[in-house]
Amino acid sequence: MDYVSALLPPVVMAVFFISVIRVIVKTQGGANKAKEDAAVDAALARAEAARQPSASPSTEA
């Protein structure tokens, strides 16, 4: 019975790891992908807009 207690933790971790990977793969794409892409695009646009005005006064002077 020692082999059962030795194999149980790796088996439990393997099942947990596989389930986490399956959730990650299933949540990629679909309707959520458009929302996530829009959020990233908006954040990049805000960062770019915040960077440009600070650079403009130094180029105008």
Side-chain angles (χ1 to χ4, degrees):
M1 289 308 253
D2 288 338
Y3 64 90
V4 174
S5 62
L7 290 177
L8 188 62
V11 170
V12 170
M13 291 302 294
V15 169
F16 178 74
F17 181 74
I18 291 170
S19 64
V20 167
I21 297 300
R22 288 185 68 195
V23 167
I24 290 171
V25 169
K26 282 186 176 185
T27 57
Q28 299 299 312
N32 291 334
K33 182 170 176 40
K35 291 178 188 176
E36 292 170 0
D37 288 346
V40 169
D41 290 341
L44 289 174
R46 282 193 301 267
E48 186 66 27
R51 189 181 325 152
Q52 286 179 352
S54 65
S56 296
S58 63
T59 58
E60 292 176 5

